[in-house]
Structure formats: C-alpha cells, structure tokens
Amino acid sequence: MSAVREQAPDAARCIRPVGRLRPPVAADGGPALTRETHIRQIHIRETRNREFPAREFTDDEARWRAVLRRDRRADGAFCYSVLTTGTYSRPSCGSRHARRANTVFFPDPAAAERAGFRPCRRCRPDQTGADAHVEAVVRSCRLMEASGEIPSLGELAAATGFSRFHFHRVFTVLTGITPKAYATACRADRLRQAIPRTRTITEAIYEAGFNSSGNFYALAQRLLGMTPTAFKNSGRGLDIHYAFADCELGPLLVGTTAAGVCAALFGPDTETLLRRLRGRFAQSALTAADLGLGRRLAVTLCGAAPPADGHAIPWDIRRRALGERLRAELNAA
C-alpha cells in the first residue's frame, strides 16, 4: 500500500496511508472527519459484537497493558495499530511503544488491514506463529553467518523482535542447538575457509573474526579437530578415521582425529563425500573408522534430529546445526 507524508498539526511528521484511510466529508456538508476519528470509527465498527479470542483482554485498557508488557499470551488475541506510522503489530512486538493516544486495537490482522494499516516488518503479525518463528531463526542465522564478531543473544533477539528467553527457546527447538553453538559453527566454517588462503595463521585468526590470538589455538584445535598448522598443511602426519551414516539430511561422513571431529560432510553419495575428505586432508593417512566410532555416531544421530517444526528451516542451516551438534557430542563422548 502506498503512503504519503503530511504535516501533523503539532509539526510532527507522520505517515498517512493513502486510499482506505481517507476520511469522508460529513453527510450534512459540514467539515470532514479527522483522520483519527475516522479510524476510531472503523475500530468501533470492527470490534462491535465481536469477541476477542482471549477473555483476559476484554477491553482496550487491558490490551494496552498487554502491549506495554509485550505479553506473548496476547498474540493472536488482538493486534494493535499506530496512527502515526500506519502499521499494525503483535502485542509482543519489540518495537518502541507508541503513545496510547495514537494506538487502536483490532481483533485480528484482517480487521487492521481493512482499516488501511500495513503489517509491521519486525514482528510480521500477518504470518502464523510457526512462520514467524522460522523467519526469526533464519534471520538470526544469516546474521551470525555474515558477522565476524559473534552477536550477543540480546542483539539476535532484538533483530527478531523476540525476548531473549523466547528467542533462545524457539531457536533451540527448531535447530536442535543453541544460538551460541550455531555461532560457534559459523566461526569454525570461517576459520576453515581462511586458513588455506592466508599466508600465516595470524592472518587467518583475524580474517575469521577472532579479536586476538590469546585463546585462539586451544579453541581452534577443538573446532578443527587438529592444530591450525596441521589444517593448513592438509592434515600432514595425522591419522584420520571416518564413518558413514544416513540421516534425514542425506548421506553423512564424519572424520575424526585423536583431537576430535575434523569433518562433518553432507553430500549426494558416499563416494563424493570420501573424495571431498581426501581433497581437504590430502597429506593425512585416511583409514576406515572403527566400530566404536560408527556406534557413537549412530547413537548421536538418533537423538540429534530436530522436531518436525524444524523441517521448514533451510537445509544449509539444518546441516550446519547438525554438524555442530555431532562435533560437540562426539568430542564429549
């Protein structure tokens, strides 16, 4: 819906949606209704004789208190619209609160849109709860993938419009790992990409987003399954055992050294996966995994699949999350 800017009476700038929100001229030929009065009349017409889904939010003052609390229990019970922005939001939206005088309530997104409001781009009130959760997880994952610095939990939650606790719970349910664990997986991927193309390990440290080399080497060995120098030298002098498994994300190969998991690869078939492992660690001695590793991998996979709701998450995110979970659990075994 297009929008134009108009000068408010108090010289503040506001957005007036064009079209359906244009107030009509009074029937008696008098002055036109103000835009705010027109919207409030629509609000009264939309809510008259209609029950809000939750009895707890039975009047506008109760709904306003829910908005101030960002109460997630109110999501789906109503939505609220802001006159000065022309948008409508979920009660739990993390956006800055508008003035009460500029806020009106509607039973559902359809009623708000009939009044001419457009959905908030932060909380996406026009989407179902499951859609909003998937979008929040995907958005936060892309932020972690793009950032050299690991975003804090608060920064990720703010970017999705969720509270810290709710965001952490939704992310873990849909991916099977915590946001911190996913950020660790992203950092490990950047490190694997940086080490071969930089002249020195020090350069790789900073290119991968590490601020200093203080605790880099101990952390890097846990992430890589070997020292950074051994990784740069294609695994020279190392014995790498590997095992195959089938999972819902396709054929999987896991490679391990004495220091831990060095590879978790997904691909179309076992031949392709083994060729990729050999290409990455051309100077190592590759041997088939012992039965102990195969059993540990099978047991870990049995409990590693995320719930069915996570199937809407893109495959690259699901594979990175599963790879990180396998690395952490197999290293701890």
Side-chain angles (χ1 to χ4, degrees), residues 201-225:
I201 299 299
T202 300
E203 290 179 13
I205 292 174
Y206 293 102
E207 185 171 324
F210 291 87
N211 291 326
S212 70
S213 59
N215 62 348
F216 166 78
Y217 286 95
L219 176 61
Q221 183 154 328
R222 292 200 302 272
L223 295 179
L224 300 175

Side-chain angles (χ1 to χ4, degrees), residues 134-308:
V134 168
E135 182 177 333
V137 168
V138 173
R139 187 186 311 170
S140 63
C141 287
R142 299 314 182 203
L143 287 174
M144 288 184 274
E145 292 161 12
S147 175
E149 296 287 336
I150 296 180
S152 69
L153 180 62
E155 291 170 336
L156 293 173
T160 61
F162 291 167
S163 69
R164 289 161 53 96
F165 172 80
H166 187 69
F167 168 74
H168 189 278
R169 184 175 66 83
V170 166
F171 190 99
T172 305
V173 165
L174 292 184
T175 65
I177 61 173
T178 66
K180 182 178 180 180
Y182 191 85
T184 298
C186 293
R187 172 165 282 190
D189 284 346
R190 285 193 292 271
L191 187 59
R192 294 185 192 98
Q193 295 167 9
I195 288 176
R197 67 170 177 248
T198 54
R199 292 186 302 106
T200 66
I201 299 299
T202 300
E203 290 179 13
I205 292 174
Y206 293 102
E207 185 171 324
F210 291 87
N211 291 326
S212 70
S213 59
N215 62 348
F216 166 78
Y217 286 95
L219 176 61
Q221 183 154 328
R222 292 200 302 272
L223 295 179
L224 300 175
M226 62 187 69
T227 66
T229 300
F231 191 92
K232 189 171 184 65
N233 291 327
S234 302
R236 182 182 301 160
L238 294 178
D239 291 324
I240 297 179
H241 298 262
Y242 62 88
F244 297 107
D246 287 319
C247 66
E248 63 172 359
L249 300 178
L252 164 69
L253 179 152
V254 169
T256 65
T257 68
V261 174
C262 63
L265 307 176
F266 297 89
D269 52 62
T270 57
E271 291 80 7
T272 300
L273 291 174
L274 187 55
R275 187 164 55 249
R276 287 174 56 193
L277 184 68
R278 285 179 174 144
R280 178 179 293 184
F281 302 114
Q283 300 301 315
S284 69
L286 297 181
T287 58
D290 57 36
L291 294 177
L293 174 60
R295 285 194 296 267
R296 295 202 312 273
L297 177 57
V299 169
T300 303
L301 281 172
C302 285

Side-chain angles (χ1 to χ4, degrees), residues 11-245:
R13 301 294 287 180
C14 64
I15 298 178
R16 174 174 64 85
V18 177
R20 288 174 293 179
L21 288 185
R22 187 176 298 149
V25 176
D28 60 3
L33 298 173
T34 66
R35 171 174 167 269
E36 289 77 8
T37 300
H38 178 57
I39 293 174
R40 293 187 190 282
Q41 287 184 350
I42 296 175
H43 159 67
I44 293 171
R45 186 171 63 248
E46 289 283 357
T47 59
R48 183 180 294 152
N49 299 324
R50 290 187 60 179
E51 289 187 5
F52 283 73
R55 293 182 179 180
E56 183 177 352
F57 312 107
T58 54
D59 57 56
D60 282 357
E61 290 313 308
R63 294 165 198 140
W64 175 242
R65 289 192 295 271
V67 169
L68 293 179
R69 295 192 306 268
R70 295 188 171 91
D71 192 341
R72 290 200 169 272
R73 296 175 304 156
D75 287 353
F78 65 90
C79 58
Y80 73 93
S81 302
V82 180
L83 298 173
T84 52
T85 63
T87 62
Y88 69 93
S89 305
R90 301 175 189 271
S92 64
C93 184
S95 300
R96 182 179 179 180
H97 289 132
R99 294 172 57 192
R100 173 66 184 90
N102 293 328
T103 305
V104 292
F105 303 92
F106 292 94
D108 50 49
E113 292 189 12
R114 283 194 295 271
F117 292 94
R118 61 186 183 279
C120 169
R121 297 181 65 181
R122 181 169 186 173
C123 67
R124 298 294 186 184
D126 54 330
Q127 296 181 340
T128 66
D131 289 341
H133 288 169
V134 168
E135 182 177 333
V137 168
V138 173
R139 187 186 311 170
S140 63
C141 287
R142 299 314 182 203
L143 287 174
M144 288 184 274
E145 292 161 12
S147 175
E149 296 287 336
I150 296 180
S152 69
L153 180 62
E155 291 170 336
L156 293 173
T160 61
F162 291 167
S163 69
R164 289 161 53 96
F165 172 80
H166 187 69
F167 168 74
H168 189 278
R169 184 175 66 83
V170 166
F171 190 99
T172 305
V173 165
L174 292 184
T175 65
I177 61 173
T178 66
K180 182 178 180 180
Y182 191 85
T184 298
C186 293
R187 172 165 282 190
D189 284 346
R190 285 193 292 271
L191 187 59
R192 294 185 192 98
Q193 295 167 9
I195 288 176
R197 67 170 177 248
T198 54
R199 292 186 302 106
T200 66
I201 299 299
T202 300
E203 290 179 13
I205 292 174
Y206 293 102
E207 185 171 324
F210 291 87
N211 291 326
S212 70
S213 59
N215 62 348
F216 166 78
Y217 286 95
L219 176 61
Q221 183 154 328
R222 292 200 302 272
L223 295 179
L224 300 175
M226 62 187 69
T227 66
T229 300
F231 191 92
K232 189 171 184 65
N233 291 327
S234 302
R236 182 182 301 160
L238 294 178
D239 291 324
I240 297 179
H241 298 262
Y242 62 88
F244 297 107

